Amino acid sequence: MSDTDLTTRLTHPDYPRSNTYDARWTIENQMGPHALWLLEWLAPALGLDTLPPGARVLDLGCGRAMTSVFLAKEYGLQVTAADLWVKPDENAVRIAEAGVADRVLPLRVEAHDIPFGEGTFDAIVSIDAYQYFGTADLYLPTLTRLLKPGGRIGVVMPALREELAGEPPEHLKPFWDPGFWAFHSPAWWRRHWTRGGGVEVETADWQPDGWKDWLLWSEVCAEESPYAWMADMARESVDLVKADRGQLLGFTRVVGRRM
C-alpha cells in the first residue's frame, strides 16, 4: 500500500491530533490497538488541555513511547515514559527522533515498584496496559499516592460491554485467551475503583463503536506491519473482532481524581 493510501485509510474524523502523525511510524511502533486514538479519546475526560505546560505526567505501560511523545508534543507536558518490556535505550532513540528528548524520560519500571515519591505527578495515564496489573483490589491506592492532591488518573483498556456470568459466549470460545479474563465492563471498573478508595471516579464509560476502530487498525497492521510476529497478532485480532462485531468486546475509559 502506498504511503498516501495508508494515510487516507487511517485518517479518522474523531482523532484530528492523531491524524498528524506518520501512519507508518504508528504501525512500526504499535503493540496492540491504536494507542494514539485511544489516548485522544481519553484526553477530554482526563482534562489534558487544562494542565499547564510542563506539568508532570506518568505514562505507565507506555510500550514504544508513542503515547509519551504524543503527550509531550500535543500538550507540552513533562512525561515519564515507564515500561517493563521495552528497553529505555530503545525508547530514548524514538523520543529523540520525535524531537522531545527534553520532555520525555524513558524508564524501565514494574507497575508494583514505581520509584517515585508521593505527590510527584499532576496526572497518570495508562493506555492498553492497566488491565494487566490493575485488577487487584489493593493496587489503585499504591499508584494514586503518586498523584498530587486533585490530580487525575486516566486509563483506557480493552473491555467487556457487560460482565460475563460464566463461560465466554459461544461465538468467542474459539478465540478466547486466558488473558481476556482481565477485561471488565465500565460498571465493574467504576465499582472497583470506588471500593479501592483514594479517588473519586469521574468517568467510567464505553466507547461507542470502538470495535470498528479496533478492526480497522488490526486489518491495516496485518497487511502493513514490518514485523511478522506483529502481523500475526494483528490477524488474530481481526478474527476475534470480526467474530464479535461489538456484541461484547470494545474499550472503556476510566478517570478518577485523587481526593
Side-chain angles (χ1 to χ4, degrees):
M1 189 185 307
S2 71
D3 288 349
T4 299
D5 288 344
L6 182 62
T7 298
T8 299
R9 192 170 178 188
L10 290 178
T11 297
H12 198 299
D14 292 338
Y15 311 119
R17 292 178 186 258
S18 301
N19 292 339
T20 66
Y21 289 76
D22 180 75
R24 291 213 180 273
W25 180 78
T26 61
I27 291 171
E28 289 170 3
N29 293 300
Q30 64 95 19
M31 297 182 71
H34 199 310
L36 299 190
W37 288 356
L38 296 177
L39 178 53
E40 193 162 353
W41 178 52
L42 173 65
L46 187 57
L48 289 180
D49 277 324
T50 68
L51 292 175
R56 297 190 65 181
V57 176
L58 173 63
D59 185 5
L60 185 57
C62 68
R64 293 190 170 118
M66 284 199 299
T67 48
S68 302
V69 169
F70 188 92
L71 288 165
K73 294 184 77 169
E74 299 302 317
Y75 302 101
L77 303 171
Q78 287 292 138
V79 185
T80 298
D83 198 81
L84 178 62
W85 303 113
V86 181
K87 295 178 181 178
D89 288 351
E90 296 174 3
N91 275 341
V93 172
R94 272 183 288 275
I95 290 163
E97 289 174 347
V100 290
D102 59 332
R103 284 172 277 165
V104 181
L105 174 67
L107 293 177
R108 171 166 280 174
V109 171
E110 204 285 321
H112 298 85
D113 187 23
I114 301 175
F116 293 96
E118 184 164 347
T120 297
F121 297 102
D122 297 283
I124 297 172
V125 170
S126 185
I127 303 298
D128 187 28
Y130 192 83
Q131 70 275 14
Y132 296 121
F133 47 78
T135 57
D137 290 343
L138 302 180
Y139 178 73
L140 182 62
T142 71
L143 179 60
T144 55
R145 71 176 184 83
L146 303 178
L147 286 170
K148 296 175 183 177
R152 288 184 172 89
I153 176 173
V155 304
V156 178
M157 304 159 287
L160 307 180
R161 188 183 293 271
E162 302 290 344
E163 288 298 299
L164 294 175
E167 293 299 305
E170 289 297 325
H171 71 279
L172 288 179
K173 281 186 176 179
F175 312 100
W176 196 261
D177 181 271
F180 295 171
W181 292 114
F183 297 174
H184 291 285
S185 66
W188 187 95
W189 282 108
R190 178 181 291 277
R191 184 173 62 252
H192 184 62
W193 277 23
T194 299
R195 287 175 172 174
V199 298
E200 175 188 357
V201 180
E202 297 182 329
T203 302
D205 60 1
W206 179 259
Q207 185 178 37
D209 293 330
W211 71 272
K212 294 180 180 179
D213 292 347
W214 194 353
L215 179 59
L216 168 62
W217 175 244
S218 298
E219 288 175 335
V220 171
C221 290
E223 297 169 13
E224 299 295 325
S225 176
Y227 309 111
W229 67 273
M230 191 61 75
D232 289 344
M233 185 182 299
R235 280 187 282 272
E236 291 175 2
S237 293
V238 169
D239 293 341
L240 171 72
V241 179
K242 276 188 173 180
D244 185 65
R245 303 194 67 81
Q247 295 178 67
L248 183 65
L249 298 173
F251 297 99
T252 184
R253 64 181 170 185
V254 189
V255 175
R257 182 178 60 83
R258 183 179 180 186
M259 297 183 291

